[in-house]
Amino acid sequence: MTTDYGPRIGVALGGGAARGLSHISVIEAMDELGLQPSLIAGTSIGAYIGAGWASGMTGREIREHAFDVLGSMRALSSRLWKTQVYDIREMFQNGISMQFDALRVLASFSPQPFPRRFRELRIPLKVVATDYRSWHPAVFHTGRLDQALAGSIAIPSLFKPVVHEGRMLVDGGVVNPLPLDCASQGMDVVIGVDVNGDPMLTDPRYTPSTIDIGMGAAQIMMHAITAQMIGAYPPDIYVKPNVGSIGAYEFWRVREVLEAGDAIKDRFKYQLEAKVEAFIAGQQRTLEAV
């Protein structure tokens, strides 16, 4: 398939921490159809994976890179440790912070070279973060890409806030976990990929940890906001991989997350192919009527 005469496709890639690795399967599905979006909007990990896609990486390339850097607990822990002890002198002067530096984490886990500015991207990208001081979304599409991405992934308490363009930024999922509003502007077909997950049945005798409670509360909040966003900006195609059993920080389970993403690929491709064909048929009828 080709989009030479087809619709302008906008894709919203949602936030969901480790669950967001399932976005890769959606990218691969579009690659297999020979389709490319005209606009990508992403929140948190959706923004990060969307940036790789917008830079020209294929879904297969993103998958292989994810396996390389996240494929084992040892590889993941080693990279995270290096972001904490970046400079031995700094460690002795300031100690080891309990919060990660988002910019350093991105630099450690990104393929090299990786674009630092929006103008280096091949596909327009909108990155959604949260302005901590104003409580409003902060949407970036020009200037420093790395700083905008760092702000978008800066999960409160886990990451230090990121100061960029005079704003103090935290994770975009706080205000807009599925940026359909940003992805729909001027588009003919809008795709929403929701990776927040669903409630899971647990043993009633199990007492969640403090971290589990915090992440669970954030997930409930994101679910409510996403429902409102879908009502206001209904996507033409809504994709929701079954990733609820994956913990927010369990990035080492990358293969399991991708298996969940792969499970929805065929249905997604069928839906998208039908939307594109319907759009092209409608264009032809319009031309014949002129």
Side-chain angles (χ1 to χ4, degrees):
M1 298 180 70
T2 175
T3 55
D4 291 344
Y5 303 100
R8 293 164 294 179
I9 301 173
V11 182
L13 302 178
R19 304 180 187 102
L21 294 166
S22 56
H23 286 313
I24 297 170
S25 300
V26 173
I27 296 171
E28 286 179 329
M30 290 190 64
D31 290 343
E32 291 162 13
L33 289 175
L35 294 172
Q36 188 175 79
S38 298
L39 174 64
I40 303 167
T43 292
S44 198
I45 192 169
Y48 179 46
I49 292 178
W53 191 12
S55 73
M57 294 179 72
T58 65
R60 173 60 58 180
E61 290 169 340
I62 299 173
R63 179 186 290 253
E64 291 173 354
H65 179 73
F67 285 158
D68 287 342
V69 299
L70 303 172
S72 71
M73 175 70 84
R74 182 175 180 179
L76 177 61
S77 300
S78 175
R79 285 179 181 271
L80 284 175
W81 172 251
K82 289 177 182 177
T83 67
Q84 292 295 80
V85 188
Y86 187 78
D87 185 323
I88 196 69
R89 291 171 298 180
E90 181 181 338
M91 183 184 75
F92 282 112
Q93 290 172 359
N94 303 324
I96 298 177
S97 172
M98 295 301 292
Q99 291 182 299
F100 292 102
D101 183 306
L103 201 58
R104 289 181 180 177
V105 170
L106 286 176
S108 180
F109 284 88
S110 298
Q112 298 301 322
F114 196 78
R116 293 188 63 191
R117 295 189 173 273
F118 280 92
R119 65 169 179 258
E120 300 172 43
L121 300 177
R122 299 182 184 181
I123 301 171
L125 172 70
K126 294 184 179 181
V127 172
V128 180
T130 299
D131 186 327
Y132 180 76
R133 294 193 179 101
S134 73
W135 297 6
H136 292 144
V139 182
F140 301 96
H141 58 91
T142 60
R144 286 282 297 272
L145 172 64
D146 54 351
Q147 292 277 7
L149 289 175
S152 185
I153 71 164
I155 298 172
S157 298
L158 181 64
F159 289 96
K160 301 173 186 175
V162 176
V163 177
H164 176 51
E165 295 187 359
R167 301 179 182 183
M168 180 178 288
L169 305 177
V170 296
D171 190 291
V174 173
V175 290
N176 193 351
L178 184 61
L180 291 166
D181 53 338
C182 298
S184 63
Q185 296 171 4
M187 297 296 109
D188 301 305
V189 174
V190 178
I191 300 166
V193 188
D194 181 358
V195 295
N196 187 44
D198 289 303
M200 295 294 293
L201 294 176
T202 58
D203 188 332
R205 295 168 296 179
Y206 168 69
T207 301
S209 67
T210 302
I211 293 177
D212 290 337
I213 289 290
M215 291 306 301
Q219 191 175 0
I220 294 168
M221 175 193 70
M222 290 170 65
H223 176 78
I225 297 173
T226 296
Q228 293 178 346
M229 183 62 68
I230 291 172
Y233 300 90
D236 297 287
I237 300 174
Y238 176 66
V239 182
K240 190 170 186 178
N242 184 18
V243 290
S245 63
I246 306 297
Y249 299 145
E250 294 179 333
F251 284 93
W252 61 90
R253 297 176 65 184
V254 55
R255 286 174 172 78
E256 295 173 64
V257 182
L258 284 167
E259 286 174 4
D262 292 344
I264 55 88
K265 278 178 69 173
D266 287 344
R267 182 169 180 270
F268 169 67
K269 287 166 68 174
Y270 174 80
Q271 291 177 311
L272 181 54
E273 194 169 24
K275 288 290 183 183
V276 171
E277 289 176 352
F279 178 86
I280 293 173
Q283 294 291 93
Q284 291 175 339
R285 287 193 297 270
T286 301
L287 289 173
E288 291 169 359
V290 173

